[in-house]
Amino acid sequence: MKNVRYSSAMAILCFASLAYGQDEPSLKIYSGLRDTVTTSETTLVAVTQPGATATVNGNPVHVYKTGSFGTKIQLVPGDNEVVVEASIDGHTNTLRRNVFYHTGEGKATDAKATLDQTYFFTNPLYVKTTPGAYLQYGNGDDRLGGSKMGFLDTDIPLKVIGQSGSLYCVRLASNRIAYIPKSYTAPASEVPTVVNTGSWSVINTGKSDKVVVSLPCRLPYQYSTSINPQTITIDLFGATDNSNWITQRSAVLGIIDFVDFEQVSDDVYRVYLRLKDKYQWGYSVSYEGNNLVIDVRHRPESLNLRDLTIGLDAGHGGEFPGAISPSGVKEKDVNLDIVLRIRELLEKKGAKVVLTRDSDTGPSMTDRKNTWREANVDIAISVHNNSGGSPLSSPGTSVLYKHLSNRPLGQAVLNRLLETGLPLFGLVENFNFSLNAPIEYPNVLVEGMFMSSLEEEEKVADPQFRQIVAEKIVAAIEDYLKAAKN
């Protein structure tokens, strides 16, 4: 009966846009044949009924099980007729298109990149952070947003010295600026000043080690994992050392080996947390009153799947289909199908699984992260599939992560996915995606296959291959947990 869990996604993984049962096979040109082109080569992609044969200008081409096919076409200057035919059971469907190759327009016009300039104020403004606030390094942007330094707690006063579009430029320290979206700020009357730090305490709470740094007011901060993943650093901006004692209030700590600090500049105070474990299991940075609190999760008591909670995310959903393949397969449906298969495999091994969605819904990034945080997941994986590049190539599979501490998990998943025979696209570090931003639990994002590749489209549309992908991801989680035991 468990197979019914895939039914909603599986029902959509068909090629409804193709007309079956007619005398002649369906045939549509997906891309590659514009009226006028300025290059001598174009790539045709078309879709016919699965099982049909096809030719382009009389030359046979390979038709994938999805019905998709494609080829490169060499053009001559002037008019070019392209004839595309599909045949099945003695019936043929023919499409003719004219493509004009214009040699006089081969030189592209120079495109001038426009960057938002930062306009600095004569007099500063003062704001405070609101829920969801984050800092980014510069005023750059792409479809994933600017490069994030990290998230901040609420009610932290900031000195605004300029603006760039929708961003404020803020002064963190005498030699440090950053940018923050205006939408995550509110006016403030408090003026940031350089303050002295107070005493520290470190205590084992049972599930985590809690470090508390006493401060007279809330300060902006930046957290990171150093090149050595056993060290967490937090920079406090606008602080100078007056911490005359650091008290460890538990005889034995769970994951922290020791803590230390360094005054790296006149107004930047760096906190060091050295861990016993070379694997990080998550931590948080926030304020309790004006005290900075760093809560570092212990290694789980058991690293057996039956004792862990695994978070799974099926990318996109609802009104956001993600990539759509030439034959009409939607990424959101493929992602969900793979995630449901992973869930079943994990639950058979006794794991508790928390999904961000289990149907065709489209929760926000904030909702997805909150779902995992509230469930206190031990590991989280977001499943996507990719798009881009030449449809005639097979770009391959990739795994992406933001924080250096998540590299071992990313490597484990990638190693297993390569066992499917998919080529290597890459292991991608510092991936600026919302679901990879949390530091509270190990997490990675999988880009399984390229929906735009005809070869990989055939694989992604195959339920058996999706099952193999699910099995490999589960095996990778087990590999990661086994390595962490050592």
Side-chain angles (χ1 to χ4, degrees), residues 128-134 165-168 180-186:
K128 60 183 178 180
T129 56
T130 58
Y134 61 86
S166 63
L167 303 172
Y168 279 138
I180 185 172
K182 296 177 183 177
S183 57
Y184 289 113
T185 67

Side-chain angles (χ1 to χ4, degrees), residues 148-306:
K148 294 180 180 63
M149 293 171 56
F151 287 81
L152 295 176
D153 205 340
T154 58
D155 296 321
I156 297 173
L158 296 169
K159 180 180 181 179
V160 179
I161 61 173
Q163 65 181 7
S164 176
S166 63
L167 303 172
Y168 279 138
C169 178
V170 297
R171 173 70 66 186
L172 299 177
S174 58
N175 62 349
R176 291 292 301 275
I177 64 170
Y179 291 81
I180 185 172
K182 296 177 183 177
S183 57
Y184 289 113
T185 67
S189 57
E190 185 176 357
V191 177
T193 59
V194 177
V195 301
N196 291 325
T197 64
S199 61
W200 295 28
S201 66
V202 187
I203 187 170
N204 183 340
T205 69
K207 293 291 185 180
S208 65
D209 289 343
K210 183 176 182 179
V211 179
V212 180
V213 181
S214 177
L215 294 168
C217 62
R218 295 190 176 198
L219 300 176
Y221 53 81
Q222 180 186 7
Y223 48 78
S224 65
T225 299
S226 69
I227 294 300
N228 184 333
Q230 288 180 257
T231 304
I232 298 170
T233 63
I234 297 95
D235 282 349
L236 273 170
F237 302 107
T240 56
D241 174 48
N242 194 42
S243 298
N244 293 320
W245 56 82
I246 299 175
T247 306
Q248 181 176 314
R249 300 188 179 279
S250 300
V252 178
L253 297 175
I255 192 168
I256 292 178
D257 188 9
F258 61 85
V259 300
D260 204 352
F261 66 87
E262 179 183 8
Q263 190 76 49
V264 295
S265 68
D266 291 345
D267 52 2
V268 179
Y269 183 79
R270 181 166 295 167
V271 174
Y272 292 102
L273 282 65
R274 177 69 175 183
L275 307 184
K276 301 174 184 178
D277 199 330
K278 66 180 180 180
Y279 285 79
Q280 288 186 21
W281 299 98
Y283 65 99
S284 62
V285 184
S286 61
Y287 280 99
E288 292 181 0
N290 289 332
N291 294 329
L292 183 76
V293 176
I294 306 116
D295 207 54
V296 188
R297 291 175 65 176
H298 294 171
R299 173 199 288 220
E301 292 183 9
S302 167
L303 293 181
N304 295 318
L305 275 174
R306 63 178 177 271

